[in-house]
Amino acid sequence: KEYPVAEWNGGLVHVIRPNVLHLMRGQCYTIEGKTFLSLGGAYSVDGYTRTRGGNWFPEDEIYTPEDYKTTAATLKRIGNKVDYVISHTCPAEIIRRMGRIPDPHDAQMTGHFDWVMYELGDSFKQWFFGHWHLDEQITPRFRCIWYDLLALTEDGEGGYYVKREEE
Protein backbone atom coordinates (compact mmCIF):
# COMPACT_ATOMS: atom_id res chain seq x y z
CA LYS A 1 0.00 0.00 0.00
CA GLU A 2 3.00 2.28 0.43
CA TYR A 3 4.16 2.01 -3.19
CA PRO A 4 3.32 4.94 -5.45
CA VAL A 5 0.23 4.60 -7.62
CA ALA A 6 0.46 5.44 -11.33
CA GLU A 7 -1.68 5.05 -14.43
CA TRP A 8 -0.43 2.37 -16.81
CA ASN A 9 -2.08 1.08 -19.98
CA GLY A 10 -5.54 2.26 -18.91
CA GLY A 11 -5.53 1.17 -15.27
CA LEU A 12 -3.90 1.98 -11.95
CA VAL A 13 -0.81 0.12 -10.75
CA HIS A 14 1.55 0.20 -7.79
CA VAL A 15 5.07 0.94 -9.03
CA ILE A 16 7.38 -1.46 -7.22
CA ARG A 17 10.35 -0.70 -9.52
CA PRO A 18 10.40 0.97 -12.94
CA ASN A 19 9.93 -2.41 -14.62
CA VAL A 20 7.96 -4.17 -11.85
CA LEU A 21 4.30 -3.22 -11.49
CA HIS A 22 1.56 -4.54 -9.25
CA LEU A 23 -1.74 -4.68 -11.14
CA MET A 24 -4.40 -3.39 -8.79
CA ARG A 25 -7.78 -4.96 -8.10
CA GLY A 26 -10.66 -4.16 -10.37
CA GLN A 27 -8.56 -2.43 -13.02
CA CYS A 28 -8.53 -3.05 -16.77
CA TYR A 29 -5.33 -2.80 -18.80
CA THR A 30 -4.68 -2.85 -22.54
CA ILE A 31 -1.53 -4.81 -23.35
CA GLU A 32 -0.50 -5.45 -26.96
CA GLY A 33 -4.05 -4.69 -28.11
CA LYS A 34 -5.72 -7.10 -25.66
CA THR A 35 -7.68 -6.10 -22.56
CA PHE A 36 -7.09 -7.67 -19.15
CA LEU A 37 -9.29 -7.32 -16.07
CA SER A 38 -7.29 -7.74 -12.88
CA LEU A 39 -9.00 -9.20 -9.80
CA GLY A 40 -7.22 -10.37 -6.69
CA GLY A 41 -7.54 -11.83 -3.25
CA ALA A 42 -8.54 -15.06 -1.52
CA TYR A 43 -8.69 -16.39 2.00
CA SER A 44 -5.46 -18.10 3.11
CA VAL A 45 -6.30 -21.46 4.61
CA ASP A 46 -2.67 -21.73 5.71
CA GLY A 47 -2.56 -18.40 7.54
CA TYR A 48 -1.69 -20.16 10.77
CA THR A 49 1.68 -21.17 9.23
CA ARG A 50 2.57 -17.63 8.18
CA THR A 51 3.86 -14.50 9.85
CA ARG A 52 1.48 -11.54 9.95
CA GLY A 53 3.11 -8.66 8.09
CA GLY A 54 5.93 -10.89 6.79
CA ASN A 55 4.43 -13.36 4.34
CA TRP A 56 0.77 -12.98 5.34
CA PHE A 57 -1.43 -9.91 5.16
CA PRO A 58 -4.92 -11.04 6.25
CA GLU A 59 -6.34 -7.52 6.04
CA ASP A 60 -5.57 -7.54 2.28
CA GLU A 61 -6.83 -11.03 1.41
CA ILE A 62 -10.49 -10.30 0.90
CA TYR A 63 -12.10 -7.53 -1.13
CA THR A 64 -12.91 -4.29 0.64
CA PRO A 65 -16.07 -2.30 -0.08
CA GLU A 66 -13.87 -0.02 -2.21
CA ASP A 67 -12.61 -2.99 -4.25
CA TYR A 68 -16.20 -3.97 -5.10
CA LYS A 69 -16.99 -0.40 -6.15
CA THR A 70 -13.83 -0.16 -8.26
CA THR A 71 -14.60 -3.41 -10.09
CA ALA A 72 -18.21 -2.37 -10.76
CA ALA A 73 -17.10 1.06 -12.04
CA THR A 74 -14.48 -0.53 -14.29
CA LEU A 75 -17.00 -2.98 -15.76
CA LYS A 76 -19.33 -0.08 -16.50
CA ARG A 77 -16.50 1.94 -18.07
CA ILE A 78 -15.44 -0.92 -20.37
CA GLY A 79 -19.01 -1.82 -21.30
CA ASN A 80 -18.73 -5.27 -19.66
CA LYS A 81 -16.31 -6.41 -22.37
CA VAL A 82 -12.78 -7.69 -21.82
CA ASP A 83 -10.51 -10.21 -23.51
CA TYR A 84 -8.95 -11.87 -20.46
CA VAL A 85 -9.51 -11.99 -16.70
CA ILE A 86 -6.64 -12.60 -14.31
CA SER A 87 -7.46 -13.36 -10.68
CA HIS A 88 -6.16 -15.24 -7.69
CA THR A 89 -9.27 -17.26 -6.88
CA CYS A 90 -12.27 -17.74 -9.17
CA PRO A 91 -16.05 -17.52 -9.16
CA ALA A 92 -17.87 -19.81 -6.71
CA GLU A 93 -19.56 -21.57 -9.63
CA ILE A 94 -16.15 -22.60 -11.01
CA ILE A 95 -14.98 -23.75 -7.57
CA ARG A 96 -17.99 -26.08 -7.49
CA ARG A 97 -17.20 -27.34 -11.01
CA MET A 98 -13.75 -28.25 -9.68
CA GLY A 99 -15.51 -30.54 -7.19
CA ARG A 100 -14.65 -28.29 -4.27
CA ILE A 101 -16.69 -26.30 -1.80
CA PRO A 102 -16.28 -22.50 -1.80
CA ASP A 103 -14.71 -21.36 1.46
CA PRO A 104 -17.22 -19.42 3.58
CA HIS A 105 -14.46 -16.98 4.57
CA ASP A 106 -14.39 -15.51 1.06
CA ALA A 107 -17.92 -16.38 -0.06
CA GLN A 108 -18.85 -12.73 -0.58
CA MET A 109 -15.84 -12.21 -2.84
CA THR A 110 -16.22 -15.41 -4.87
CA GLY A 111 -19.92 -14.61 -5.18
CA HIS A 112 -18.89 -11.19 -6.49
CA PHE A 113 -16.70 -12.97 -9.04
CA ASP A 114 -19.82 -14.93 -10.09
CA TRP A 115 -21.46 -11.54 -10.70
CA VAL A 116 -18.43 -10.35 -12.70
CA MET A 117 -18.55 -13.55 -14.78
CA TYR A 118 -22.23 -13.02 -15.62
CA GLU A 119 -21.76 -9.31 -16.30
CA LEU A 120 -18.98 -10.11 -18.77
CA GLY A 121 -21.10 -12.80 -20.42
CA ASP A 122 -19.43 -14.18 -23.53
CA SER A 123 -17.08 -11.21 -23.95
CA PHE A 124 -14.02 -12.78 -22.30
CA LYS A 125 -11.92 -15.45 -23.96
CA GLN A 126 -10.19 -16.91 -20.91
CA TRP A 127 -10.20 -16.42 -17.15
CA PHE A 128 -6.89 -17.41 -15.56
CA PHE A 129 -6.52 -18.03 -11.81
CA GLY A 130 -4.04 -19.83 -9.56
CA HIS A 131 -5.29 -20.09 -5.97
CA TRP A 132 -6.07 -23.80 -6.25
CA HIS A 133 -2.48 -24.83 -7.14
CA LEU A 134 -3.42 -26.82 -10.24
CA ASP A 135 -2.50 -26.76 -13.91
CA GLU A 136 -5.87 -27.63 -15.35
CA GLN A 137 -8.45 -26.40 -17.83
CA ILE A 138 -11.60 -26.38 -15.69
CA THR A 139 -14.06 -25.33 -18.40
CA PRO A 140 -13.38 -24.11 -21.94
CA ARG A 141 -12.95 -20.55 -20.61
CA PHE A 142 -11.52 -21.07 -17.10
CA ARG A 143 -7.95 -22.23 -16.55
CA CYS A 144 -6.19 -22.76 -13.25
CA ILE A 145 -2.46 -22.10 -13.54
CA TRP A 146 0.16 -23.20 -11.04
CA TYR A 147 3.39 -24.10 -12.85
CA ASP A 148 2.38 -23.88 -16.50
CA LEU A 149 3.87 -21.17 -18.65
CA LEU A 150 1.40 -20.00 -21.30
CA ALA A 151 1.84 -17.80 -24.33
CA LEU A 152 -1.29 -15.95 -25.39
CA THR A 153 -2.21 -16.60 -28.99
CA GLU A 154 -5.44 -16.43 -30.91
CA ASP A 155 -5.52 -19.12 -33.55
CA GLY A 156 -9.00 -18.33 -34.91
CA GLU A 157 -10.26 -21.76 -33.89
CA GLY A 158 -11.09 -20.97 -30.27
CA GLY A 159 -7.55 -21.39 -28.94
CA TYR A 160 -6.31 -18.47 -26.91
CA TYR A 161 -3.03 -19.74 -25.54
CA VAL A 162 -0.40 -22.40 -26.05
CA LYS A 163 1.50 -24.16 -23.31
CA ARG A 164 5.17 -23.36 -23.60
CA GLU A 165 7.91 -25.73 -22.67
CA GLU A 166 10.69 -24.47 -20.46
CA GLU A 167 13.65 -23.28 -22.45
Side-chain angles (χ1 to χ4, degrees):
K1 293 179 182 176
E2 297 175 11
Y3 289 105
V5 175
E7 192 277 329
W8 178 79
N9 288 8
L12 298 177
V13 296
H14 285 119
V15 180
I16 310 301
R17 294 193 176 113
N19 62 342
V20 178
L21 306 175
H22 167 248
L23 305 181
M24 295 172 66
R25 291 180 180 169
Q27 299 292 313
C28 186
Y29 308 93
T30 301
I31 304 169
E32 295 186 10
K34 305 294 180 217
T35 53
F36 296 82
L37 178 64
S38 171
L39 306 172
Y43 174 72
S44 294
V45 297
D46 63 350
Y48 66 93
T49 67
R50 298 177 180 218
T51 304
R52 183 183 288 269
N55 62 354
W56 182 47
F57 302 88
E59 63 280 359
D60 294 329
E61 288 182 338
I62 307 301
Y63 263 42
T64 66
E66 190 60 36
D67 292 330
Y68 291 114
K69 290 176 190 174
T70 298
T71 302
T74 297
L75 288 177
K76 184 176 182 179
R77 178 175 59 82
I78 64 174
N80 292 345
K81 292 183 181 357
V82 69
D83 294 312
Y84 299 96
V85 180
I86 302 169
S87 63
H88 186 69
T89 193
C90 60
E93 179 179 317
I94 303 304
I95 295 170
R96 286 186 204 85
R97 286 189 184 200
M98 293 168 55
R100 298 173 186 246
I101 298 170
D103 194 305
H105 292 94
D106 58 6
Q108 183 176 5
M109 187 180 69
T110 56
H112 175 71
F113 286 7
D114 281 330
W115 174 80
V116 170
M117 176 179 66
Y118 288 113
E119 287 294 305
L120 291 173
D122 291 333
S123 76
F124 70 95
K125 297 169 176 126
Q126 285 288 301
W127 184 314
F128 299 106
F129 60 98
H131 178 64
W132 298 93
H133 299 191
L134 301 168
D135 287 306
E136 187 175 323
Q137 190 75 39
I138 307 303
T139 73
R141 294 191 312 147
F142 283 84
R143 179 162 182 96
C144 188
I145 299 175
W146 181 234
Y147 289 111
D148 281 352
L149 178 62
L150 306 178
L152 289 180
T153 180
E154 295 186 15
D155 64 13
E157 297 179 24
Y160 298 104
Y161 61 85
V162 293
K163 185 174 174 183
R164 297 185 60 187
E165 299 299 322
E166 292 185 35
E167 296 176 5

